[in-house]
Amino acid sequence: MSSPIGVGFIGVGVISDTYLENLSSFPDVEVLILGDLDLDRARSQAEKHGVPAHGSAQDVLDHPGVQVVVNLTIPAVHAEVSSSAIAAGKHVWTEKPLGLDRESTAALLQQAEAAGLRVGCAPDTVLGAGVQTAKRAILDGVIGRPLFAQTSMQWQGPEVFHPNPGFLFAKGAGPLLDMGPYYFTTLVSLFGTVDKVAAVGLKAREERTIQVGEKAGTTFPVEVPSTISVLTQFEGGQTGTSLLSFDSPLARQGIVEIHGTEGSLVVPDPNMFEGRIAYVKPFETFGERPPEQEWIEIPQQGPATGRGLGLLDMVRAIHEDRQHVASGEVGYHVLDVMLSAEESAASGEFVTVQSSVAEVPPVPADFDPFASTL
């Protein structure tokens, strides 16, 4: 890698701003073109962020300088667009989820492997200083042998702020597939392969009402559980319980706790790149009532940045001939876990997760996205 890797975007909605802001600060990559179904939006974003070219998705695929395509399209076409990029000879970084079904996403990974190309998949928050500091603490034995995890993401739902929230309650979304990737990717990064899952779900209402925007007062159908509780059993023997809800008047998000034989660790919000890491040790003995437990803070170590970090790691991994952290294989396994949870909620039975994933490597504490490796 003697010059910055050329990057092109397909899809430049709201989330593209944070990607473009971060990628423009990484010297190892260079954004060359933005593509979108809405050509005016592609032009506007290109002008806003100083990108030299804009056009359609096909223009991005045809651009000779583009080596990596960033796929920020809607989830329903993630696999299709990524497959087109692979067919055009480009590596792919895609927003989560990797796809919406096992067949097309597995085919995508097989296509990429046959072509000698990489697929990376969000969320890349697991590469941030928060989760990585927590991971290193676990590997260092701070809490002994990890036993179980608890996660929670609960609030009243996106119709209170989103002007068109219907798609978030449609098949392929709901709190499980919309927010679940952050939590399950973190757990897979910490514990490895999920062996089996059990889940129960419910719908608070069959229809919901848009609260803001031009469509305020309009109702839309709820197609998937708006609350789901998932029990996970990992191959390593650990277990996890996860609550994901769009029905809770009490807002409580970003809860990730890992409990071990020698302590309990609080992991930062997996939807963020930074946050508090702290743990408590078990009591040795106490009298009539236990004293207040003392929290031991762990200073963060690692890059302080945002979305795009996973793409940068993938680009460097290609150059260094190593596995990248937020890989397509991890994205597929997390998708498989979530689809298995949906199936369990429908059947009332445990579902064995058919896929597996290699141990997810940690990010070195001295990984510096702003220092060129060229």
Side-chain angles (χ1 to χ4, degrees):
M1 190 168 66
S2 59
S3 59
I5 295 294
V7 175
F9 279 52
I10 297 181
V12 290
V14 173
I15 198 172
S16 68
D17 279 319
T18 185
Y19 270 100
L20 289 163
E21 288 164 4
N22 289 316
L23 291 179
S24 65
S25 68
F26 300 159
D28 291 354
V29 299
E30 181 181 10
V31 181
L32 300 176
I33 184 172
L34 304 182
D36 197 276
L37 287 172
D38 185 337
L39 298 181
D40 288 337
R41 182 163 59 185
R43 175 187 52 76
S44 176
Q45 284 293 83
E47 291 174 353
K48 178 179 178 181
H49 293 279
V51 177
H54 56 85
S56 66
Q58 192 61 49
D59 291 327
V60 175
L61 299 179
D62 291 340
H63 195 295
V66 170
Q67 295 165 273
V68 181
V69 168
V70 176
N71 179 1
L72 303 184
T73 57
I74 60 173
V77 297
H78 276 179
E80 177 185 350
V81 171
S82 294
S83 178
S84 296
I86 295 294
K90 320 291 188 183
H91 303 285
V92 173
W93 172 267
T94 178
E95 254 302 322
K96 50 83 180 170
L98 188 63
L100 295 184
D101 63 80
R102 296 182 180 91
E103 293 74 22
S104 65
T105 50
L108 170 67
L109 296 183
Q110 292 165 3
Q111 177 191 8
E113 183 177 8
L117 296 167
R118 300 282 189 118
V119 175
C121 184
D124 56 357
T125 47
V126 293
L127 281 80
V131 171
Q132 287 299 312
T133 299
K135 180 168 183 169
R136 286 189 290 270
I138 293 172
L139 292 174
D140 288 344
V142 166
I143 61 169
R145 178 167 58 89
L147 299 174
F148 65 97
Q150 293 171 283
T151 76
S152 182
M153 188 293 302
Q154 59 188 92
W155 68 304
Q156 66 189 86
E159 70 268 36
V160 299
F161 81 92
H162 201 296
N164 191 28
F167 75 99
L168 292 168
F169 294 85
K171 184 172 176 56
L176 178 61
L177 267 78
D178 180 48
M179 295 300 296
Y182 297 104
Y183 295 84
F184 292 114
T185 302
T186 297
L187 294 180
V188 168
S189 176
L190 298 177
F191 291 160
T193 296
V194 176
D195 179 48
K196 58 184 176 181
V197 301
V200 290
L202 60 82
K203 298 179 188 178
R205 299 179 292 279
E206 291 296 328
E207 288 188 338
R208 297 176 86 113
T209 304
I210 300 174
Q211 302 294 320
V212 298
E214 295 179 358
K215 297 181 180 180
T218 304
T219 60
F220 59 89
V222 177
E223 299 178 6
V224 295
S226 49
T227 293
I228 190 164
S229 297
V230 183
L231 175 65
T232 46
Q233 174 77 58
F234 294 84
E235 280 190 352
Q238 307 92 345
T239 65
T241 56
S242 298
L243 171 64
L244 296 148
S245 177
F246 286 162
D247 297 318
S248 173
L250 174 61
R252 183 162 48 200
Q253 302 181 55
I255 306 299
V256 179
E257 299 171 349
I258 311 297
H259 305 275
T261 55
E262 303 298 329
S264 293
L265 180 73
V266 172
V267 181
D269 185 342
N271 194 17
M272 303 297 175
F273 286 80
E274 301 180 78
R276 179 185 183 227
I277 309 102
Y279 66 100
V280 294
K281 304 293 284 185
F283 296 119
E284 293 183 4
T285 183
F286 54 83
E288 293 184 0
R289 59 178 63 180
E292 184 176 343
Q293 288 186 295
E294 177 185 358
W295 284 99
I296 304 168
E297 306 289 330
I298 301 177
Q300 279 192 154
Q301 285 185 299
T305 182
R307 283 172 169 80
L309 186 60
L311 183 152
L312 177 65
D313 175 65
M314 183 176 76
V315 165
R316 291 184 178 179
I318 294 169
H319 176 58
E320 298 164 4
D321 193 26
R322 61 171 173 81
Q323 180 59 52
H324 56 289
V325 175
S327 66
E329 289 73 20
V330 171
Y332 179 82
H333 184 60
V334 169
L335 174 67
D336 196 11
V337 169
M338 295 187 298
L339 294 179
S340 297
E342 282 190 334
E343 292 160 1
S344 175
S347 68
E349 300 177 349
F350 268 97
V351 173
T352 298
V353 180
Q354 296 300 319
S355 63
S356 61
V357 67
E359 182 178 349
V360 181
V363 178
D366 61 356
F367 184 93
D368 186 352
F370 307 108
S372 174
T373 61
L374 301 178

